[in-house]
Amino acid sequence: MGAICAATLTSVTLTTSMIYHNELATIPKTELFTQTHLLNATAFAFGDIVGVLLILPLSILLVELYGKKKPSLKITNKGIFKISFSLALSLLAILNIQQIPLYYIKILSVTFVIAASHKWGWKGATLSVFAMCILVVYTALRTDVAISVIENQAYLITIAFTALILGAAITQQKSANTKLQEQNSALNRLNTRYKEQAKKNQLLATKVVEIQELERKKISTELHDDIGQTLTAIRTEITILEQLTKDKKVLQSALNLRALSNKVYNVTRSLIILLHPRELNDLGLQKALQGRSLTKLLDSAGINYHLNIASDLDNLSEDKKIAIYRIIQESFNNIVKHAAADNVYVDLSIKQNRLRLSVKDDGKGFETKRKEAFNGGFGLLGIEERALALKGSFQVDSSGSGTHLLIQLPAT
């Protein structure tokens, strides 16, 4: 734009100076600052503007093509055919230029400029405008019809401006599209890596849960066998001691030892159930969810337990049965510790090969964004990990009227 303004100012100044010094034969000095003077100044200015619009973009294009490295031209057979066809058409037009009206040339030129700008951006606009100017000027010189120079120049300036702006906009759009495609490709690669990592994490979580259950089962068995046998032996010794003595102090000590052994037995039994619920193996999932081992924590807190099982759970795999039991067990633990609830509702159903586990309470609720604050034992995070390890989903909603935990797992 600066070059165009400078060209216009220079043309007007030089034209006025030439008229003033009688160096322009077509206009005498007496006609300075008249309509004739203005028309000539305009013609000179338009001519310089056309020159700027031709030379400046073309120079930039040549610098870009040859300034940094030699362009590598790879022309296919299809490209050779197009070039040959264009040259033949141009030659035919030049040979018969006098028979073609100028307005036809202008219409064809505009079509060619728009097509080239759309196809190749500002580079296509630059080359097509250059070719259009040559063709229009050549046609104007060869025709016998009187043509206004200013009108031709205004036409060339308008088309050149429009084409260059259109070409620049298309180039920018293509550049933006290219960057967007690159970003999309990068995001797709990251998404693929994320999915692969998520799959690895899921397999790892599954393995961790399996190892945990195996270790818990092993420890439970050892506690049952070793401590159980030891406690049985202690009770036998206490019975023998009670039969062999009538000393009140010794009998009182034996009584205390029996009470302590019973306490150790009860604590050990609770630990065994916590580590590995034998009811699950012996009675099945439905009976285990109704059993005393699971509900005694709620009973001790005075919380009513409502269980609804709408489907047959016997065909579930062992890992899913254990996961359901553990999730409900930990949910009860959280409810007793934090909810201050009066009722707990557990619903289990299988629909369209999806197992749905719902645990609701009517307690005081909590802020779900701070669920990490409730990660005692397994906690909500542990429940979520168990669900994800089995390719399921985890959702928790809480308000002042209670908390709703929803787990969905594939049934098979």
Side-chain angles (χ1 to χ4, degrees):
M1 186 59 70
I4 291 172
C5 293
T8 304
L9 181 61
T10 303
S11 299
V12 173
T13 304
L14 287 176
T15 305
T16 305
S17 176
M18 290 173 69
I19 295 172
Y20 182 79
H21 292 94
N22 293 320
E23 294 179 2
L24 194 62
T26 56
I27 307 176
K29 185 177 179 180
T30 55
E31 292 190 12
L32 271 172
F33 307 111
T34 62
Q35 184 178 1
T36 308
H37 176 200
L38 180 61
L39 289 173
N40 275 269
T42 303
F44 274 101
F46 278 9
D48 285 354
I49 292 173
V50 172
V52 169
L53 292 176
L54 287 176
I55 296 171
L56 186 60
L58 191 61
S59 301
I60 295 172
L61 178 59
L62 292 174
V63 168
E64 183 170 324
L65 290 176
Y66 293 94
K68 296 182 179 179
K69 60 180 181 178
K70 270 192 173 183
S72 56
L73 296 177
K74 295 181 180 178
I75 303 177
T76 61
N77 293 332
K78 189 176 180 181
I80 293 173
F81 172 76
K82 288 182 178 179
I83 293 171
S84 302
F85 179 77
S86 301
L87 289 175
L89 191 62
S90 302
L91 182 61
L92 183 63
I94 292 170
L95 292 175
N96 298 277
I97 204 74
Q98 288 180 315
Q99 283 76 34
I100 304 174
L102 182 60
Y103 60 85
Y104 283 165
I105 298 296
K106 288 182 178 180
I107 292 173
L108 291 173
S109 299
V110 170
T111 305
F112 173 67
V113 167
I114 292 174
S117 302
H118 181 267
K119 180 69 176 177
W120 296 291
W122 76 271
K123 295 178 182 179
T126 299
L127 294 174
S128 61
V129 165
F130 184 77
M132 178 197 70
C133 287
I134 294 174
L135 186 59
V136 171
V137 171
Y138 178 75
T139 306
L141 291 173
R142 297 287 295 174
T143 186
D144 297 329
V145 181
I147 296 171
S148 171
V149 175
I150 292 179
E151 181 183 335
N152 265 351
Q153 290 173 332
Y155 167 80
L156 293 175
I157 290 170
T158 303
I159 299 302
F161 258 123
T162 305
L164 290 172
I165 292 172
L166 176 63
I170 289 173
T171 299
Q172 187 174 7
Q173 183 184 14
K174 287 182 178 180
S175 177
N177 287 340
T178 301
K179 289 181 180 178
L180 183 62
Q181 288 175 358
E182 292 174 354
Q183 290 176 354
N184 286 338
S185 298
L187 287 175
N188 288 334
R189 289 194 295 270
L190 287 174
N191 189 38
T192 301
R193 291 178 186 174
Y194 169 77
K195 287 181 178 178
E196 291 175 354
Q197 189 61 45
K199 191 174 181 180
K200 290 179 182 178
N201 291 343
Q202 189 179 65
L203 293 173
L204 181 61
T206 304
K207 195 66 179 176
V208 168
V209 170
E210 288 177 0
I211 293 172
Q212 283 181 342
E213 290 301 330
L214 287 174
E215 289 299 316
R216 288 171 182 274
K217 187 175 182 179
K218 182 179 178 181
I219 294 171
S220 171
T221 302
E222 290 178 356
L223 285 174
H224 180 269
D225 294 343
D226 296 342
I227 296 182
Q229 291 176 5
T230 303
L231 287 173
T232 301
I234 291 173
R235 286 175 176 177
T236 302
E237 293 296 327
I238 291 172
T239 301
I240 294 172
L241 182 63
E242 288 174 339
Q243 292 175 352
L244 292 177
T245 184
K246 292 184 180 180
D247 190 320
K248 292 183 179 181
K249 291 183 178 180
V250 174
L251 290 173
Q252 185 61 43
S253 296
L255 185 63
N256 294 337
L257 286 173
R258 187 180 294 278
L260 288 173
S261 67
N262 289 335
K263 186 175 181 179
V264 171
Y265 173 79
N266 291 331
V267 171
T268 304
R269 186 172 181 276
S270 298
L271 285 173
I272 291 171
I273 294 171
L274 184 64
L275 287 169
H276 185 72
R278 291 186 175 273
E279 291 180 349
L280 194 60
N281 294 334
D282 300 337
L283 304 176
L285 180 59
Q286 184 167 344
K287 294 293 184 182
L289 295 180
Q290 297 169 340
R292 172 69 181 163
S293 300
L294 185 66
T295 61
K296 69 176 181 179
L297 185 63
L298 296 178
D299 293 339
S300 62
I303 300 174
N304 300 315
Y305 176 40
H306 308 273
L307 176 64
N308 176 42
I309 299 177
S311 303
D312 184 11
L313 305 178
D314 292 337
N315 294 326
L316 292 175
S317 61
E318 199 64 30
D319 55 346
K320 287 186 175 62
K321 290 180 180 179
I322 293 174
I324 291 168
Y325 188 91
R326 292 295 189 197
I327 289 170
I328 295 174
Q329 187 180 51
E330 186 55 34
S331 298
F332 288 175
N333 187 42
N334 288 337
I335 290 168
V336 170
K337 285 183 178 179
H338 309 291
D342 295 322
N343 295 279
V344 175
Y345 303 89
V346 174
D347 292 285
L348 264 168
S349 62
I350 299 175
K351 291 181 180 179
Q352 297 179 349
N353 202 34
R354 295 287 292 179
L355 185 146
R356 185 178 184 275
L357 167 62
S358 170
V359 182
K360 291 182 181 179
D361 68 66
D362 57 0
K364 60 184 179 180
F366 65 94
E367 293 183 15
T368 55
K369 292 180 180 178
R370 295 182 61 252
K371 65 182 181 183
E372 66 274 5
F374 299 89
N375 284 336
F378 285 115
L380 292 178
L381 182 61
I383 292 173
E384 184 176 10
E385 287 177 350
R386 280 187 175 272
L388 296 179
L390 293 173
K391 300 180 181 180
S393 62
F394 168 89
Q395 181 182 343
V396 59
D397 297 307
S398 188
S399 64
S401 59
T403 300
H404 180 203
L405 178 68
L406 178 62
I407 305 291
Q408 295 192 70
L409 306 172
T412 55

